[in-house]
Amino acid sequence: MNDNESSKKRKRARRRDRAQNEKLKLSSEKESASAAERIDEDKEESKKASASAKRIKSQGQLSNSSSFLAKMKAKLSGGHFRMINEKLYTCTGKEALEYFNDDPTLFDTYHTGYQEQMSHWPELPVNIIIKWLKDHSPSLVVADFGCGDARLAKNVKNKVFSFDLISKDPSVISCDMSNTPLGSSSVDVAVFCLSLMGTNFPSYLREAHRILKPRGWLLIAEVKSRFDSTTGGADPKTFTKAICDLGFTSVSKDFSNKMFILFYFKKKEEQSSKKKEVEWPELKPCLYKRR
């Protein structure tokens, strides 16, 4: 082999080496770029994950904060309700009327708390009274003493006079329940559904007696604990006797519900000309526990 051919071979070998080196260099650069991109992507994903974690943590803190505030608000509202409730059980109807007239928002606070308490009862006495009225003639005129949201009137066909300390509905008459605007012997049914609250509750029952027609019905639903003589409550027999001495006949009593008692009376057709002194038992206040 002459020197010319040998030189050509060396040149071709060098060209091949340079081409291979270029390929290796390009491949290395591509791998480096790809690795750098992967690192950048990993960093971006890490940032996103970190931001997401912070956001979730922040939302959790906000949620916990909102939940805490809601619980505190409910606790304060419940405490306010219990304070008003105790006030109503330990003052006269006239004092209660003045109390709510001075600040009508207290009436809303009380009834919001009352509805919350009632939501824990398996059965409501007003529903039993509604059913009783539906089972009787719709022509019976009703007086609902301490009607609250006038649920009774809204669920029966009867003419209902709804009385309470504050009127939040056009159908509700605001008054002291011992002095209603109805005439004597003008209604067929008088209802007290968890509303014998004032210390002067006998005056409410005397007013019911005045406005009821002869043989008119008196329906009373009260919290059962108020008639538990073992815990300071009134004896149901003593309570029944007092109402009978007022001028009623006891028709029946229903002790079947664990939360309340129902009393059914009828006004005597013939009233005694001599007014009998009625010995009223003291009704134990119904003070709700904290939940």
Side-chain angles (χ1 to χ4, degrees):
M1 182 181 297
N2 56 34
D3 291 338
N4 190 32
E5 288 178 349
S6 179
S7 177
K8 287 180 179 178
K9 285 182 178 180
R10 282 196 296 275
K11 286 179 180 179
R12 283 197 296 271
R14 283 197 293 271
R15 283 198 295 270
R16 282 197 302 272
D17 290 342
R18 282 197 298 270
Q20 288 176 349
N21 288 335
E22 287 293 330
K23 285 181 180 179
L24 289 171
K25 185 178 179 181
L26 287 170
S27 176
S28 178
E29 288 176 349
K30 285 181 179 178
E31 288 180 359
S32 295
S34 178
E37 286 177 1
R38 285 197 297 273
I39 290 171
D40 289 341
E41 287 175 358
D42 290 343
K43 286 181 179 179
E44 189 64 29
E45 287 297 323
S46 179
K47 285 180 181 178
K48 288 180 180 178
S50 178
S52 178
K54 287 179 180 178
R55 191 164 56 250
I56 291 170
K57 185 178 179 181
S58 176
Q59 289 173 347
Q61 288 172 340
L62 286 171
S63 176
N64 289 338
S65 177
S66 299
S67 177
F68 174 75
L69 288 172
K71 286 179 181 177
M72 285 302 296
K73 187 176 180 181
K75 191 173 182 180
L76 288 170
S77 179
H80 206 180
F81 160 73
R82 286 188 292 274
M83 180 192 75
I84 299 169
N85 183 68
E86 184 171 352
K87 168 77 175 175
L88 295 178
Y89 273 107
T90 54
C91 72
T92 65
K94 183 180 178 181
E95 289 169 339
L97 184 62
E98 292 171 352
Y99 179 65
F100 284 134
N101 281 334
D102 287 342
D103 187 355
T105 62
L106 294 175
F107 190 76
D108 294 328
T109 301
Y110 171 76
H111 275 283
T112 298
Y114 175 81
Q115 293 298 335
E116 198 280 329
Q117 291 290 335
M118 290 299 100
S119 69
H120 299 284
W121 286 29
E123 188 173 27
L124 300 181
V126 67
N127 291 337
I128 295 177
I129 294 171
I130 287 169
K131 184 180 182 304
W132 185 93
L133 285 169
K134 287 181 175 179
D135 289 340
H136 290 72
S137 172
S139 66
L140 295 177
V141 178
V142 182
D144 185 7
F145 288 78
C147 65
D149 58 3
R151 182 171 181 173
L152 181 65
K154 294 172 183 175
N155 286 276
V156 296
K157 295 179 179 179
N158 307 67
K159 169 64 180 175
V160 179
F161 292 99
S162 301
F163 301 115
D164 215 320
L165 295 168
I166 295 290
S167 174
K168 291 290 182 179
D169 186 291
S171 66
V172 177
I173 301 168
S174 174
C175 68
D176 176 353
M177 293 191 300
S178 65
N179 184 25
T180 69
L182 297 182
S184 298
S185 302
S186 58
V187 302
D188 302 289
V189 184
V191 174
F192 290 88
C193 187
L194 309 180
S195 55
L196 290 178
M197 298 182 73
T199 55
N200 64 323
F201 76 88
S203 65
Y204 306 158
L205 293 168
R206 283 194 291 269
E207 178 67 357
H209 181 271
R210 181 186 72 80
I211 67 172
L212 275 169
K213 297 174 184 176
R215 297 188 59 77
W217 286 92
L218 172 63
L219 275 53
I220 300 173
E222 264 304 332
V223 179
K224 205 165 193 174
S225 62
R226 301 189 79 190
F227 294 93
D228 184 353
S229 56
T230 63
T231 58
D235 185 336
K237 292 180 181 178
T238 306
F239 179 72
T240 299
K241 181 180 183 303
I243 293 181
C244 289
D245 288 345
L246 182 62
F248 289 91
T249 300
S250 176
V251 177
S252 65
K253 301 184 221 30
D254 183 356
F255 290 80
S256 63
N257 193 283
K258 69 176 185 178
M259 305 301 289
F260 55 86
I261 299 175
L262 280 160
F263 298 90
Y264 299 84
F265 298 93
K266 290 193 85 171
K267 183 177 177 179
K268 292 177 181 176
E269 192 159 9
E270 297 292 331
Q271 297 293 312
S272 174
S273 57
K274 290 183 180 180
K275 285 191 176 182
K276 191 173 184 179
E277 187 67 29
V278 180
E279 293 185 16
W280 293 98
E282 183 179 346
L283 289 185
K284 174 184 172 184
C286 176
L287 305 179
Y288 294 98
K289 297 178 182 179
R290 293 184 180 184
R291 293 186 179 275

